[in-house]
Amino acid sequence: MSDKSDDAISEKILNAAKNNPKGISAKDVAAAVPELSSAELVAAINKLLQQGLFDLYNQGGSLLYKLKNQNTKTAIKGADNEEKVVFNLIEEAGNKGIWIRDIRHRSNLANTQLTKVLKSLEGKKVIKAVKCVNASKKKVYMLYNLEPDRSISGGAWYQDQDFESEFVDILNRQCLRFLQQRADKIKNNPRGPIVGRTQSFATAAEVQKYITDLGISKVKLEVEDVITILNTLVYDGKAESNVYPDGSKVYRAIESLIPPPGLVQVPCGVCPLVYKCCSTGLITPQDCKYMSAWLDQ
Amino acid sequence: MTHQLGRVVSQILGRHFGEIVQQVGNDLFMYGSKTIGMIVKTTGLPRTQVIESLRTLLKFDLATFEADATVEYKLNSENILLLIRYPRYLLQMKSKYGSEAEMIVEELLQQASCTATVLLVTVMNKYKDDKEKNLNIVNLKDTFISLATAGYIQQAPVAELKDGSEIPILVPVATIVPDLDVRDLMQAMTSNLADCKDNTYWKVNYDRFHLDFRDDMMIKAITRRIDENAGELMRLMLEQMYLSSSAWAVESSPAAACDLRDLALRVHDRPLLHAHVDHYLKVLEENGASFIRRAGDAGGGQYVVRTKRAAEQLLEALLDHTVTERLGSKAARIFRLIRSKKYIEEEDIQKNAMLPNKECKELTYKLLEEHLISVQPMRKAASAGGSAKAIYLYHVKLYDAAHAARELCLRAAHNVSRVSSATRAAHARLLDKQRRVRSIVHGMRVRGEPQQNIDDVLETLTPPELSAVSGAERRLRALSAAELELDRALFLISCYFAFPR
Ligand code: SF4
């Protein structure tokens, strides 16, 4: 497909969209350019999305493409040149946002001036500042109507840029419970261990469904998110994962190979002072409180 | 040879052989090897006592000597550690061969080494009044023979004199299962033991026990991970392994699936195993913590037992438990994460472990501090800006971590044994009194004296004394149980060290 015909197609689609300010569905697009195969169509739409000409909406389960509101552009109208430059930089950055230092660098504006411009743009609700999860001090700017990228917002695990470790803990526990419910299926299964093993495995999708049905999560968790949680179980040593022939990941709860060893059954094994504990001196086994408490229990 | 080992060894020697041997042991441990004269000089003990101590140590294989121009003595600390394992040996004997075997091994452990005749006759005489045990010399002899056949006891090395030298060297000999004549034994029982002609000496073969313990660990682990049938299969594979490979080989030589199948079918009471042998093999291979591996397809599949890998896996499980209990389950998560990724950057740890930044860093540094993980700085090639930032890769050096765990175990073992000797010392008078009362009462019961008199004797222990003494006894019991458990952990770690790195 040459560039020229590419442009022609884009134009046709754009025209169709212009005529339907409420948005057009994929079917409408196909009707506007009937000569394209579905793969080519997807490519063409993706390109337009990339150029930022389209917005994507989810309406009643079907996707709608809507020509981008020109408001943002108009809001800029009446702004001075500096604002325009800064706006363009921020727009370019998309939903990954742009760091203030990079703006300064590339716009060649002085610090104070830049702050003023940003303030004013923020005031007009054209742009917003978003805190970055992996660097607490770092703020990035992006257009007001954009949803921050996962790398910036951290996805489901972050609320206002704070990592929600309790939420993760709860999910971790719930996932484990789900896996444990079926873990015993492998033991002495009358239909043999392979069937038993299959029964004790759970796919990530099953776990996701279980978690969703529990209703403990306010945000919608994708299968990917659940896999992240399930992986923490693997690192906890409480589950193992396998891959099914069709490529989907499955998990099953396991127990440690050995019961708690003797080392952790005596106070010294868990004692924070163990490296300071000597035959003589302030900390000695003979007058150890932990020891006597343990022996008297 | 670490400081911690020295502390434990000293404690053990003190408890089993008293203060003088302990002093000599400490001295030997500190200096590596020494002559008698040197020991006398540094310890300040009389020469006769030093010699006496050395004799004890040598007798129990707790020290060795090397003869050059002078004779230098050396402590065998590994064997001293085994002294705390004795109860476990006995238990193993009792459960596997019954109480007669237990008595034989117990006697042999006490004697260090002795001839079959003396051994059996002593055991017989010791327990002949005991109606419950109901010993008879024929059974005892048979047990002895089966123990020798199974290798739990072996012939002691014999001393040989080299030409022109007065110092004997010990030469190990191959064990020949003896043919003991019951009539001779009977005769020896009535006559004086000193003039019996038997001169083949026997001793306990610790390694044989250790194989049992190791197998047991592996089988239990598989049972926990899959089920009893898989555990049984594991046992069969290990049995098969001993037929064809050396016990501490890194991997066994391959066993054919059809042989294993035949063996499995011969096991009683395992209908599930009979019905699904092949499935069990497959599950064991895929989900059995990589204890076994499929080595080829010949003869319906060849399987190999990966003993070294198993030891590593078990060690890792031990480390995981230790980290969990010491630093919490989050730290254990980080620890396992680092281990499974081999090398990992700090940022990725946080991302994968799903922990808040600060907590994650803190735990990582704690792990580092306890020598359970290590860090490897890597310089990135200087970028154009000249900011050559080093990245730090975390990883687990299993060998080092195992050492750290071993040190911890030794520290704990020392502390436990220290506390128990302190407890014993603090209640020495009472414990002694109780022992005396008990033996008097026992004597009176045997003589059939009236209950009234017995009660009188019993009352010499006042109620507060009784409660103090029973408290102390309870503590001592808890401590020795703890010691046994610690020894199990030490054994697991030593299994890992038994393989080449
Ligand atoms: S004896 Fe007490 S202080 Fe010393 S290591 Fe053990 S528990 Fe800690």
Side-chain angles (χ1 to χ4, degrees):
Chain A
M1 214 190 292
S2 73
D3 262 5
K4 219 177 130 217
S5 68
D6 241 17
D7 283 347
I9 293 162
S10 303
E11 225 178 273
K12 271 188 197 165
I13 301 177
L14 281 179
N15 273 333
K18 252 184 213 146
N19 295 338
N20 285 305
K22 285 246 172 71
I24 53 173
S25 68
K27 249 191 250 150
D28 299 332
V29 180
V33 275
E35 68 271 25
L36 289 190
S37 73
S38 54
E40 284 168 325
L41 195 66
V42 171
I45 292 176
N46 274 345
K47 202 166 148 218
L48 289 172
L49 279 173
Q50 252 168 27
Q51 288 169 353
L53 292 169
F54 270 131
D55 269 341
L56 198 55
Y57 288 91
N58 188 344
Q59 207 165 63
S62 63
L63 290 178
L64 278 191
Y65 302 94
K66 201 152 126 188
L67 207 54
K68 223 180 209 161
N69 211 332
Q70 296 299 313
N71 273 355
T72 44
K73 289 260 154 89
T74 48
I76 285 304
K77 270 182 199 150
D80 48 17
N81 264 337
E82 284 86 13
E83 283 188 21
K84 265 187 205 150
V85 170
V86 173
F87 177 83
N88 282 336
L89 284 174
I90 294 176
E91 191 184 27
E92 227 172 79
N95 67 351
K96 287 239 164 77
I98 179 168
W99 196 18
I100 185 161
R101 244 181 63 184
D102 293 332
I103 305 182
R104 199 170 64 222
H105 242 77
R106 297 174 52 185
S107 65
N108 267 332
L109 289 174
N111 213 351
T112 42
Q113 202 182 6
L114 180 59
T115 341
K116 222 171 76 196
V117 171
L118 288 172
K119 271 261 165 63
S120 120
L121 285 174
E122 260 186 281
K124 287 183 201 159
K125 297 225 170 195
V126 189
I127 61 165
K128 62 181 170 185
V130 176
K131 264 198 266 164
C132 208
V133 285
N134 36 28
S136 56
K137 292 249 174 58
K138 194 167 157 183
K139 256 203 264 181
V140 296
Y141 288 91
M142 64 181 69
L143 292 191
Y144 194 75
N145 53 3
L146 290 181
E147 177 77 16
D149 186 77
R150 274 193 163 218
S151 63
I152 305 297
S153 73
W157 319 120
Y158 288 82
Q159 175 131 44
D160 301 332
Q161 283 70 53
D162 283 329
F163 182 74
E164 293 208 77
S165 57
E166 272 150 53
F167 181 46
V168 172
D169 283 350
I170 292 174
L171 287 178
N172 174 289
R173 245 170 286 145
Q174 290 300 339
C175 288
L176 181 61
R177 251 192 47 193
F178 182 69
L179 294 184
Q180 276 171 344
Q181 280 167 7
R182 44 176 79 189
D184 275 348
K185 290 265 166 47
I186 197 172
K187 294 216 178 324
N188 297 320
N189 193 306
R191 294 170 59 200
I194 290 196
V195 177
R197 183 178 63 180
T198 316
Q199 285 175 357
S200 71
F201 273 137
T203 65
E206 281 173 293
V207 182
Q208 185 228 13
K209 184 170 176 307
Y210 170 77
I211 296 288
T212 315
D213 291 348
L214 276 181
I216 42 175
S217 167
K218 283 174 283 169
V219 284
K220 176 148 173 37
L221 291 178
E222 303 296 333
V223 175
E224 285 302 310
D225 296 328
V226 175
I227 288 187
T228 321
I229 296 288
L230 286 168
N231 280 339
T232 63
L233 280 178
V234 175
Y235 299 136
D236 282 344
K238 292 176 182 149
E240 67 178 7
S241 72
N242 262 44
V243 180
Y244 268 172
D246 66 353
S248 60
K249 274 196 140 187
V250 286
Y251 295 83
R252 88 179 181 99
I254 51 169
E255 271 190 79
S256 168
L257 287 176
I258 52 171
L263 181 55
V264 301
Q265 291 171 22
V266 293
C268 305
V270 297
C271 171
L273 299 171
V274 66
Y275 295 110
K276 302 208 176 89
C277 184
C278 300
S279 305
T280 54
L282 273 183
I283 308 167
T284 62
Q286 303 92 289
D287 333 296
C288 169
K289 292 222 175 56
Y290 300 127
M291 273 283 185
S292 38
W294 172 67
L295 285 172
D296 287 336
Q297 72 191 349
Chain B
M1 285 289 179
T2 62
H3 178 54
Q4 294 311 323
L5 183 60
R7 292 173 80 202
V8 186
V9 160
S10 157
Q11 275 294 324
I12 299 177
L13 286 181
R15 176 149 42 117
H16 286 261
F17 303 105
E19 234 166 79
I20 296 166
V21 178
Q22 183 179 10
Q23 267 185 46
V24 174
N26 284 349
D27 202 52
L28 280 179
F29 188 88
M30 209 140 57
Y31 292 91
S33 66
K34 257 185 158 186
T35 59
I36 294 182
M38 297 291 280
I39 302 174
V40 171
K41 207 176 260 167
T42 39
T43 53
L45 293 169
R47 196 180 171 89
T48 45
Q49 286 187 348
V50 170
I51 292 177
E52 193 51 43
S53 308
L54 283 175
R55 188 173 291 155
T56 318
L57 289 174
L58 286 176
K59 177 175 163 201
F60 286 94
D61 244 349
L62 306 177
T64 51
F65 60 89
E66 251 162 49
D68 245 339
T70 53
V71 183
E72 300 218 339
Y73 295 86
K74 226 165 132 185
L75 209 58
N76 189 347
S77 359
E78 292 306 318
N79 276 3
I80 297 180
L81 277 185
L82 297 186
L83 286 174
I84 41 180
R85 205 168 286 162
Y86 279 11
R88 204 172 160 202
Y89 297 139
L90 298 184
L91 191 67
Q92 175 72 8
M93 276 299 99
K94 188 168 179 155
S95 53
K96 216 169 161 179
Y97 288 92
S99 52
E100 276 150 11
E102 186 191 0
M103 285 180 261
I104 293 178
V105 171
E106 186 176 11
E107 187 61 33
L108 192 53
L109 283 173
Q110 259 166 33
Q111 304 259 352
S113 74
C114 75
T115 64
T117 321
V118 173
L119 178 67
L120 295 182
V121 169
T122 329
V123 172
M124 201 60 209
N125 285 338
K126 225 186 207 170
Y127 297 102
K128 79 172 161 249
D129 301 330
D130 203 330
K131 293 280 173 315
E132 279 169 39
K133 297 238 165 51
N134 197 9
L135 280 185
N136 90 39
I137 193 84
V138 180
N139 282 349
L140 215 51
K141 186 211 80 174
D142 288 345
T143 315
F144 181 88
I145 297 213
S146 35
L147 290 184
T149 318
Y152 291 97
I153 51 181
Q154 63 185 12
Q155 281 183 24
V158 289
E160 267 177 20
L161 272 180
K162 252 205 268 168
D163 301 336
S165 144
E166 289 172 8
I167 308 149
I169 38 173
L170 293 175
V171 186
V173 285
T175 299
I176 302 157
V177 178
D179 214 4
L180 295 171
D181 191 357
V182 181
R183 261 165 303 160
D184 289 350
L185 285 173
M186 299 286 249
Q187 202 178 359
M189 270 177 74
T190 45
S191 62
N192 191 352
L193 269 180
D195 42 58
C196 98
K197 298 178 295 300
D198 191 353
N199 57 5
T200 319
Y201 279 80
W202 293 84
K203 61 178 205 158
V204 173
N205 180 11
Y206 301 121
D207 286 336
R208 181 67 186 82
F209 283 90
H210 295 168
L211 286 182
D212 273 7
F213 296 160
R214 179 193 65 178
D215 294 354
D216 195 49
M217 266 189 331
M218 286 175 71
I219 294 165
K220 283 223 176 84
I222 290 297
T223 308
R224 279 172 77 88
R225 193 45 71 80
I226 306 173
D227 64 7
E228 294 85 15
N229 298 311
E232 185 64 29
L233 190 59
M234 189 73 233
R235 192 182 66 72
L236 295 174
M237 296 194 72
L238 286 166
E239 251 173 36
Q240 197 71 359
M241 171 179 117
Y242 288 123
L243 298 182
S244 56
S245 0
S246 79
W248 293 98
V250 171
E251 284 193 349
S252 73
S253 39
C258 49
D259 292 344
L260 292 168
R261 205 172 300 137
D262 288 347
L263 282 176
L265 289 179
R266 255 177 270 149
V267 182
H268 294 295
D269 289 342
R270 290 261 171 233
L272 278 174
L273 186 58
H274 292 178
H276 306 284
V277 182
D278 291 323
H279 286 191
Y280 268 110
L281 263 176
K282 189 154 179 57
V283 170
L284 189 57
E285 179 202 340
E286 286 171 5
N287 297 71
S290 51
F291 280 16
I292 73 166
R293 178 172 70 84
R294 201 182 159 93
D297 297 320
Q302 302 271 324
Y303 289 91
V304 159
V305 183
R306 311 173 68 190
T307 29
K308 180 176 178 202
R309 185 88 193 95
E312 283 169 4
Q313 291 275 338
L314 290 168
L315 174 73
E316 284 175 1
L318 175 113
L319 291 174
D320 287 345
H321 273 296
T322 315
V323 175
T324 312
E325 298 298 327
R326 285 189 67 77
L327 303 173
S329 57
K330 298 283 161 62
R333 184 186 295 173
I334 297 176
F335 182 61
R336 292 185 59 107
L337 171 67
I338 298 177
R339 205 171 63 214
S340 65
K341 299 270 184 216
K342 302 269 187 325
Y343 285 89
I344 185 168
E345 269 186 80
E346 191 164 327
E347 220 170 89
D348 293 332
I349 297 181
Q350 193 191 324
K351 222 179 276 161
N352 284 299
M354 300 287 289
L355 293 173
N357 203 343
K358 210 170 134 211
E359 189 182 352
C360 184
K361 272 197 187 136
E362 214 176 286
L363 292 174
T364 313
Y365 298 154
K366 274 204 188 127
L367 283 170
L368 210 52
E369 198 178 294
E370 303 224 345
H371 303 291
L372 292 163
I373 60 175
S374 35
V375 65
Q376 167 109 46
M378 276 238 312
R379 257 173 216 294
K380 267 189 192 156
S383 56
S387 61
K389 212 176 123 205
I391 51 174
Y392 292 94
L393 292 178
Y394 290 90
H395 65 131
V396 176
K397 284 190 189 149
L398 204 55
Y399 187 81
D400 294 356
H403 260 296
R406 187 176 144 92
E407 287 288 301
L408 210 56
C409 281
L410 290 176
R411 268 178 190 273
H414 166 266
N415 292 352
V416 165
S417 122
R418 187 72 210 258
V419 172
S420 68
S421 63
T423 314
R424 220 170 278 131
H427 298 73
R429 193 189 60 81
L430 276 181
L431 287 170
D432 198 41
K433 184 169 171 189
Q434 195 199 29
R435 199 170 321 121
R436 254 179 298 142
V437 168
R438 272 191 190 150
S439 74
I440 293 173
V441 168
H442 181 75
M444 289 166 83
R445 287 235 167 88
V446 170
R447 286 194 297 276
E449 294 192 19
Q451 188 62 30
Q452 178 64 39
N453 297 1
I454 294 180
D455 285 345
D456 282 349
V457 177
L458 278 177
E459 268 162 28
T460 52
L461 275 172
T462 62
E465 278 180 335
L466 261 182
S467 79
V469 114
S470 73
E473 277 189 326
R474 218 198 58 240
R475 284 156 160 252
L476 288 174
R477 263 200 307 279
L479 286 166
S480 57
E483 205 173 70
L484 272 180
E485 284 299 318
L486 277 173
D487 176 62
R488 274 171 194 266
L490 276 170
F491 175 73
L492 195 159
I493 299 173
S494 68
C495 274
Y496 167 76
F497 285 121
F499 292 100
R501 243 176 118 172

